[in-house]
Amino acid sequence: MGSPTLIDCDPGTDDALALLLAFGSPELDLRAITVVGGNLGLDRTLPNACAVAGLIAAPPAVHPGADRPLLGAFTPEPRVHGADGLGGVRLSAGPAPRAELAADAIRGHLRASPTPMTVIGLGPATNLALALATEPALAARIGTLILMTGAWGEGNATPAAEFNAFNDPEALAILLAAGAPTVLVGLELTAQALATPARLASLRARGTGQALAAACDIQASVPASARLGGVGAALHDPCAVAYAIRPDLFTTRAARVTVDLGPGPSRGRTVIDRWGRGGGAPVTLAETLDADGFFALLGERLARLP
Ligand code: BDR
Ligand code: CA
């Protein structure tokens, strides 16, 4: 049996691929998917999560969460994810979402799990922060908190800030202060998981299942990133799931991180100290990725799905 796992996400094209990677991986016993707004509003991210869950036979429960950050409003990204959040790829509706809200479901699972859980955050940190702010002792029930967020250099939402951090910096600051052992998978790492047309073609050639086809169709809709040279798009969120499955594909470094909560142009910036100068929450920072190993893992696991 795999490690008991929760995924919080905002599908989102790369979130969809991350969920499918988790579904195909026996190392993870995925207990629930909780959903937050972000890439688009919750009115899109929630049905998208259900539709992706519907690609497998016995999906985990899907719970609705926050449709706004702790302050203000989310800034959606339809240019990357399409107006529907899945690049226009039409899927069946999948299972209905549960009535129980995300923060309640997260707390319930953390309380009930007989062993510490792996918690993977792929969107703005709102749901996870709400869960832990209302029952801080549950941080001790998290074995590893893996967050796709932040950057030690340039951002993608603004020059200073990565998208998930920018969309709820207060929640990210709360989450980082919660005390769970945290792995940060930021933009410098995910830039190494560059889905080029050649890599997508080999992924598609791995099988004929509907999940693999959907993953490839969704990713093919994502425009090449000018920030990354226009040769492909980064598979951000699947990197965080891959860390939970195959940490040996990564090199890491102990670091500390502070989130800029100011109102100016640096809002949402993750100030990451990689050189032990002190200050900020301790994290394990993922620095390098075996990209060929990552794409081999993705292909192998997606090809197992129906
Ligand atoms: C993150 O932002 C979102 O658009 C992606 O889904 C990913 O979680 C990358 O900055
Ligand atoms: Ca995401």
Side-chain angles (χ1 to χ4, degrees), residues 21-267:
L21 174 59
F23 295 161
S25 296
E27 295 87 348
L28 306 183
D29 173 14
L30 188 55
R31 301 279 172 87
I33 298 166
T34 57
V35 187
V36 63
N39 283 322
L40 286 166
L42 193 71
D43 61 330
R44 290 300 339 160
T45 60
L46 182 61
N48 287 350
C50 293
V52 173
L55 289 167
I56 61 168
V62 180
H63 297 266
D67 196 19
R68 63 180 67 169
L70 298 183
L71 296 176
F74 292 132
T75 303
E77 189 43 286
R79 286 170 307 175
V80 171
H81 301 278
D84 64 354
L86 293 180
V89 175
R90 303 292 292 269
L91 302 176
S92 309
R98 302 292 175 93
E100 187 182 26
L101 295 177
D104 296 326
I106 293 165
R107 284 193 306 266
H109 279 284
L110 289 174
R111 273 190 226 112
S113 178
T115 54
M117 298 193 79
T118 299
V119 177
I120 305 175
L122 306 178
T126 323
N127 290 339
L128 295 168
L130 286 170
L132 292 182
T134 45
E135 199 169 339
L138 289 177
R141 306 291 308 141
I142 299 177
T144 313
L145 173 65
I146 306 170
L147 300 177
M148 191 286 120
T149 196
W152 65 76
E154 194 179 25
N156 57 353
T158 72
E162 181 276 332
F163 180 89
N164 291 334
F166 179 72
N167 270 285
D168 200 340
E170 280 76 17
L172 180 57
I174 289 170
L175 194 55
L176 290 169
T182 303
V183 178
L184 220 59
V185 176
L187 291 180
E188 289 84 358
L189 187 289
T190 64
Q192 299 165 57
L194 198 58
T196 60
R199 277 180 166 149
L200 265 187
S202 352
L203 194 60
R204 203 181 277 281
R206 295 295 296 249
T208 55
Q210 60 165 0
L212 177 67
C216 292
D217 292 346
I218 289 168
Q219 191 55 37
S221 75
V222 179
S225 165
R227 188 176 59 89
L228 301 177
V231 293
L235 284 183
H236 306 285
D237 292 339
C239 288
V241 174
Y243 186 90
I245 302 166
R246 287 279 311 275
D248 59 297
L249 294 174
F250 298 74
T251 65
T252 63
R253 176 195 296 268
R256 290 189 175 260
V257 58
T258 308
V259 187
D260 191 319
L261 303 179
S266 297
R267 179 168 171 77

